[in-house]
């Protein structure tokens, strides 16, 4: 009984509420809010199934693979940061690293069962394929995209979060339009921007893992220093503001995104990377602003 309780606690830790709430939760918040502008009915059973799929893909499939690879490489074993260092399920002894690959496999089977014969819309399966691609290739040793500069965020993470947002929107609105695609892209840009903030305190351990985890942040920090690497976070948020400003030429509601991205860029710039507590506080602020953006753009503006 005690062993099963530990496993259940480990599965709970794998969910990692902050990234799941910001990424998949934000995608749901944004997609459903936009869908309700065109339809008056959101079937609860379908919504729960979509939420379950997003939760399993990011919470258990992606995070179990990420915890497994980062533990084996050594980057998580000595982590003492406030918000980073994996889910903590291995470090606290709730799970063993040998159990994580079976959890990932079972998570994949569960997702396939949840989508089996549920829709004839081929785009929904495309969104799922993109999401699975991101969840698996971000960490799995066959690709390990998170261990390469720029690749993890652009080839794995960004397409996955955009696909998740569009799946929630089209799954209930039944169509696509410019605003939903642009909104999904901006949510994705905000998400990978604060992901760069998340990597800041990990850079030294990441570089000294085996193999080295050369995130974009770690790569820049190794070339110069951590204070310079924070400019990567600033640059990503400025890119988000630029893209939002271009989109605002078509729809002025995207100006809201540009202002929020500029605020996040200022938070990233005005931080002392020598203080772990300050970096963690900035990350939480960015997560909050990302969720605020999803709510405002989807439900109020």
């Amino acid at each position: 009984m005690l062993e099963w309780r530990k496993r259940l606690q480990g599965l709970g830790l794998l969910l990692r509420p902050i990234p799941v709430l910001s990424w998949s939760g934000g995608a749901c918040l944004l997609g459903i809010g936009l869908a309700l502008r065109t339809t008056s009915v959101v079937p609860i059973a379908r919504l729960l199934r979509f939420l379950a799929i997003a939760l399993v893909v990011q919470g258990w499939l992606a995070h179990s693979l990420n915890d497994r690879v980062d533990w084996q490489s050594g980057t998580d074993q000595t982590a003492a940061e406030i918000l980073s260092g994996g889910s903590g399920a291995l470090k606290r002894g709730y799970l063993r690293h040998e159990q994580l690959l079976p959890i990932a496999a079972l998570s994949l089977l569960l997702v396939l069962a949840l989508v089996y014969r549920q829709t004839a819309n081929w785009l929904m399966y495309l969104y799922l394929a993109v999401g699975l691609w991101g969840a698996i290739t971000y960490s799995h040793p066959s690709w390990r995209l998170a261990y390469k500069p720029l690749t993890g965020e652009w080839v794995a993470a960004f397409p996955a979060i955009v696909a998740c947002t569009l799946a929630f929107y089209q799954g209930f609105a039944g169509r696509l339009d410019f605003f939903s695609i642009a909104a999904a892209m901006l949510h994705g840009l905000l998400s990978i921007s604060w992901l760069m903030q998340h990597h800041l305190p990990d850079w030294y351990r990441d570089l000294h893992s085996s193999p080295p985890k050369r995130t974009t942040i770690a790569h820049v920090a190794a070339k110069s220093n951590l204070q310079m690497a924070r400019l990567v976070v600033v640059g990503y948020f400025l890119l988000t503001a630029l893209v939002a400003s271009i989109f605002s030429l078509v729809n002025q509601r995207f100006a809201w995104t540009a202002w929020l991205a500029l605020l996040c860029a200022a938070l990233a710039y005005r931080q002392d990377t020598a203080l772990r507590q300050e970096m963690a506080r900035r990350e939480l602020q960015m997560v909050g602003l990302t969720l605020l953006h999803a709510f405002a753009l989807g439900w109020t503006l």
Side-chain angles (χ1 to χ4, degrees):
M1 178 63 72
L2 180 60
E3 183 66 23
W4 277 104
R5 183 179 300 175
K6 289 173 59 177
R7 291 181 183 179
L8 290 175
Q9 288 176 307
L11 289 173
L13 286 174
L14 277 180
L15 291 177
R16 298 179 67 180
I18 291 177
V20 168
L21 180 63
S22 176
W23 285 54
S24 296
C28 173
L29 193 64
L30 177 57
I32 295 298
L34 293 177
L36 286 173
R37 296 170 186 255
T38 62
T39 180
S40 58
V41 178
V42 172
I44 297 299
R46 190 190 307 173
L47 175 60
L48 291 176
R49 187 172 68 251
F50 275 43
L51 284 171
I53 292 169
L55 185 68
V56 173
V57 169
Q58 184 184 358
W60 283 332
L61 177 57
H63 289 163
S64 60
L65 292 174
N66 185 252
D67 270 24
R68 177 176 179 267
V69 170
D70 284 355
W71 186 264
Q72 290 178 330
S73 71
T75 188
D76 277 356
Q77 294 191 25
T78 58
E81 282 69 32
I82 298 173
L83 295 176
S84 53
S87 69
L90 295 179
K91 181 174 288 188
R92 299 182 188 183
Y94 294 136
L95 294 172
R96 300 187 306 274
H97 80 272
E98 298 91 350
Q99 297 173 318
L100 294 179
L101 193 57
I103 290 173
L106 290 173
S107 299
L108 179 58
L109 290 176
L110 178 57
V111 169
L112 295 178
L114 286 170
V115 301
Y116 182 66
R117 291 187 175 180
Q118 291 298 326
T119 179
N121 188 339
W122 66 271
L123 276 175
M124 301 305 292
Y125 294 108
L126 176 61
Y127 298 145
L128 175 64
V130 173
L132 292 175
W133 160 264
I136 295 171
T137 63
Y138 189 78
S139 300
H140 194 275
S142 299
W143 297 272
R144 221 189 303 250
L145 298 181
Y147 279 60
K148 304 175 180 66
L150 297 175
T151 313
E153 58 262 36
W154 290 112
V155 181
F158 179 73
I161 191 61
V162 171
C164 184
T165 306
L166 292 179
F168 273 107
Y169 175 74
Q170 190 173 3
F172 295 94
R175 63 186 181 88
L176 282 179
D177 50 47
F178 168 78
F179 192 90
S180 62
I181 295 172
M185 291 177 62
L186 292 173
H187 177 61
L189 287 172
L190 286 171
S191 296
I192 64 171
S193 296
W194 78 253
L195 178 63
M196 297 301 100
Q197 175 71 24
H198 181 76
H199 286 162
L200 278 176
D202 299 338
W203 77 276
Y204 187 81
R205 286 184 295 99
D206 286 347
L207 285 179
H208 289 80
S209 63
S210 180
K213 187 176 182 179
R214 297 191 68 87
T215 63
T216 306
I217 290 293
H219 181 75
V220 174
K223 295 290 185 181
S224 50
N225 54 60
L226 188 58
Q227 192 69 356
M228 183 65 69
R230 90 193 193 287
L231 297 181
V232 173
V233 188
V234 175
Y236 268 63
F237 279 119
L238 290 179
L239 174 62
T240 306
L242 175 61
V243 174
S245 298
I246 294 172
F247 288 160
S248 70
L249 299 176
V250 180
N251 191 308
Q252 292 184 348
R253 287 159 65 189
F254 290 122
W256 166 259
T257 310
W259 284 111
L260 279 182
L262 288 174
L263 175 57
C264 287
L267 290 173
Y269 184 79
R270 296 176 61 84
Q271 67 176 316
D272 185 352
T273 54
L275 301 175
R276 292 179 178 179
Q277 294 87 348
E278 184 170 342
M279 287 190 287
R281 184 170 63 251
R282 289 286 190 258
E283 181 180 336
L284 290 175
Q285 290 169 343
M286 293 168 188
V287 169
L289 289 172
T290 300
L291 286 171
L292 175 62
H293 167 261
F295 175 74
L297 204 60
W299 295 80
T300 62
L301 295 179

